[in-house]
Amino acid sequence: MTTRWNRKDLLGLRELSAGEINLVLETADAFKQVGTREIKKVPALRGKTLVNFFVEPSTRTRTSFELAALRLSADIINISAEASSLTKGETLKDTARNLEALHADILVIRHSSAGAPQFLAERVSSSVINAGDGAHEHPTQGLLDVYTIRERRGRIEGLNVAIVGDILFSRVARSNIFALTKLGARVTLVGPSTLVPREFEKFGVTVSHDLESVLPQADVVNLLRIQHERQRNEYFPGLGEYIRLFGLTRERAKLLKPDCLIMHPGPINRGVEIDSELADGAQSVILDQVTNGLAVRMAVLYLCGGIAA
Amino acid sequence: MTDSRTHPESSILLMDAAALGRALRRIAHEVIERNPELRQVVLAGIPSRGNEIARRIAGIISGIEKIDLPLGVIDVAMHRDDVGRRAELPVVQPSSLPLPLEDRTVIIVDDVLFTGRTVRAALDAITSFGRPAKIQLAVLIDRGHRELPIRADYVGKNVPTAPDERVRLRLGEAEEGVWLVRQS
């Protein structure tokens, strides 16, 4: 482990090197072990203050960051969009400066606009961690996904990973693409042509509109959530048609290799992206993803928050 | 304890390979003597050299008593009290200890005892796993300059040092031994 971490912020995985990604994964190994102790708490970030600033609603990511911070002994404040002065017309920059004036050391931000975390990172001295910004990136999700694959398969290099669903609007897909390709996986994006345009090939991935031809080679199938709540009608074929063409049904799952991992960033729409039985089946690592998310976020907070200010 | 080739330095040999071996054998005998219930003992090394020293002591004890003591790893990086004060963030590694710790004696094993802060962090780390019956400390070199009320139960060699000197330990390399290094 010769790579050093010298980033105060984690904004995306696109700018990280393979060595930096591996450093996060190895650090997460150490923090995962903490979760098995009688006292699941270490003093690594004692005295530091973390602000969870979620302008877009999220329960699982926010909770995961919150628990990660608590296990590192940091103090934590949660601020949601409704509670913040953003609704009163305060600009993002002013909000950030106010948070900084409270001596927040780490700012975890979820925002509907791509680039909001970077905007803040350039203006505040606190560490800024991107917890999902628009359709741009969701770096900790990408890291926990590769962590889970590495844990189960022992490596990333050479694996065939299929990412299925709404790629165009998915920050999870983008962060996964960057992490997986840097670590040497072969990535295939699958979905309707409206949601999986050919332009994605510039990231060094394969694009397919035929799920059944992709499944037999896959070592990992990562099913993205169909976000009906923000789905634009003109892109989306309709739920019934989506399930018929791209849903992982029991019938289709028979095409998978027996050791193929089934992943989903959650929350699952049972019966849409994935058949309910498969989500709970032996190939599913969906709950491992949740457990690993905590270890990966502890690692990220430790690395970004621990470097000398 | 890194090599510095750019600055001239002088080093004094404190222990050669034979002396190092003798010190480890003595520590092994003392561990056996002081722990009548030897089967309850866990040798927990602090990475990376503490692990190697713990492994060697366990090997010697196994030769004498035909008992293979369990080995543990205690990562202290996440228990340190100086995160954010050091230029470089310590690398964290997974800890492992045989569980449960209740009724066991955990012997912390490290290469050099200096300020005592690493041992304090190790004590913290161990108690987060449970409540051992006893915790003891074994070090190859005690170089003084404690900043905390901590002492070792087993010491390979006591070495008076100046605060700016360094102790260099070579283990598992062609030329094993311990040197006192002085920047000049």
Side-chain angles (χ1 to χ4, degrees), chain B residues 2 4 6-10 164-166 168 181-184:
Chain B
T2 50
S4 65
T6 46
H7 302 286
E9 56 177 41
S10 59
D164 58 342
E165 290 170 327
R166 288 176 301 132
R168 177 182 297 158
V181 182
R182 203 168 280 158
Q183 302 279 348
S184 52

Side-chain angles (χ1 to χ4, degrees), chain B residues 133-174:
Chain B
K134 283 181 200 155
I135 301 178
Q136 299 174 348
L137 173 63
V139 297
L140 191 56
I141 302 289
D142 182 348
R143 61 167 292 189
H145 304 286
R146 218 75 78 240
E147 294 170 3
L148 297 171
I150 280 171
R151 56 146 185 83
D153 300 275
Y154 313 96
V155 180
K157 190 177 178 71
N158 283 294
V159 181
T161 61
D164 58 342
E165 290 170 327
R166 288 176 301 132
V167 174
R168 177 182 297 158
L169 172 65
R170 287 210 174 109
L171 267 183
E173 295 173 53

Side-chain angles (χ1 to χ4, degrees), chain A residues 55-67:
Chain A
V55 180
E56 203 182 49
S58 153
T59 306
R60 74 183 54 213
T61 304
R62 203 208 60 205
T63 313
S64 181
F65 269 111
E66 187 171 346
L67 192 51

Side-chain angles (χ1 to χ4, degrees), chain B residues 1-48:
Chain B
M1 269 162 271
T2 50
D3 258 348
S4 65
R5 294 197 174 78
T6 46
H7 302 286
E9 56 177 41
S10 59
S11 63
I12 304 160
L13 181 67
L14 297 174
M15 295 171 104
D16 59 12
L20 208 153
R22 278 194 297 274
L24 292 175
R25 279 196 297 279
R26 183 172 47 74
I27 291 174
H29 280 284
E30 287 176 5
V31 168
I32 296 165
E33 247 173 51
R34 282 206 223 163
N35 293 281
E37 298 203 35
L38 194 58
R39 285 178 196 282
Q40 299 300 325
V41 170
V42 180
L43 293 171
I46 296 176
S48 54

Side-chain angles (χ1 to χ4, degrees), chain B residues 31-84:
Chain B
V31 168
I32 296 165
E33 247 173 51
R34 282 206 223 163
N35 293 281
E37 298 203 35
L38 194 58
R39 285 178 196 282
Q40 299 300 325
V41 170
V42 180
L43 293 171
I46 296 176
S48 54
R49 292 205 173 82
N51 291 333
E52 173 59 19
I53 296 168
R55 203 183 57 76
R56 291 198 189 189
I57 295 172
I60 298 165
I61 291 174
S62 167
I64 304 166
E65 296 287 315
K66 312 291 173 233
I67 293 174
D68 289 320
L69 296 185
L71 294 173
V73 178
I74 317 167
D75 180 77
V76 296
M78 61 181 86
H79 290 273
R80 294 196 67 98
D81 56 7
D82 54 0
V83 169

